[in-house]
Amino acid sequence: MKKALIICAAGMSSSLMAKKTTEFFKTKGKEIEVYAVSANEGNKMIEKGDFDLYLVSPQTKMYFQKLKEAGERVGKPVVNIPPQAYIPIPMGVEKLGNLILQELPKD
């Protein structure tokens, strides 16, 4: 089971995106779960290194460099989510899902 974490401003929109994207992966037969936390928790979560991939929401991209550096310290990828992949409609969820598939480290 692979795990991805969305880091968002307050964690509200990201929780919805995480839920919908996890459901998207289930319909595709992929064992990937997506979770969400607020920007306040993001750095701590990266430092723990419990996720395979960390995603930075469009609203929190100003923290990207700091979060990316934390990811580099623990050897985990941190990527920005483009705005078109952060819309809770099927097209946006699919784009986010494809981004995750593209960026997840291969075994």
Side-chain angles (χ1 to χ4, degrees), residues 2-17:
K2 296 275 189 177
K3 297 189 312 183
L5 181 70
I6 300 171
I7 300 168
C8 177
M12 304 288 262
S13 57
S14 58
S15 294
L16 179 61
M17 287 303 293

Side-chain angles (χ1 to χ4, degrees), residues 63-84:
Y63 303 119
F64 177 73
Q65 194 56 43
K66 181 179 170 192
L67 296 169
K68 184 169 175 51
E69 289 166 8
E72 288 169 357
R73 285 193 294 275
V74 295
K76 301 287 181 151
V78 177
V79 298
N80 271 320
I81 301 172
Q84 64 271 28

Side-chain angles (χ1 to χ4, degrees), residues 13 16-17 20 85-93:
S13 57
L16 179 61
M17 287 303 293
K20 288 182 174 278
Y86 204 71
I87 308 164
I89 60 171
M91 186 178 73
V93 172

Side-chain angles (χ1 to χ4, degrees), residues 1-38:
M1 174 73 65
K2 296 275 189 177
K3 297 189 312 183
L5 181 70
I6 300 171
I7 300 168
C8 177
M12 304 288 262
S13 57
S14 58
S15 294
L16 179 61
M17 287 303 293
K19 181 176 184 276
K20 288 182 174 278
T21 307
T22 298
E23 289 168 2
F24 167 81
F25 286 132
K26 284 182 183 162
T27 67
K28 301 290 183 197
K30 304 275 186 199
E31 291 193 8
I32 302 169
E33 289 189 358
V34 184
Y35 299 86
V37 295
S38 69

Side-chain angles (χ1 to χ4, degrees), residues 11 22 44 53-54 59 72-73 80 85 106:
T22 298
K44 287 183 251 176
L53 174 65
Y54 298 89
Q59 311 92 298
E72 288 169 357
R73 285 193 294 275
N80 271 320
K106 309 297 181 244

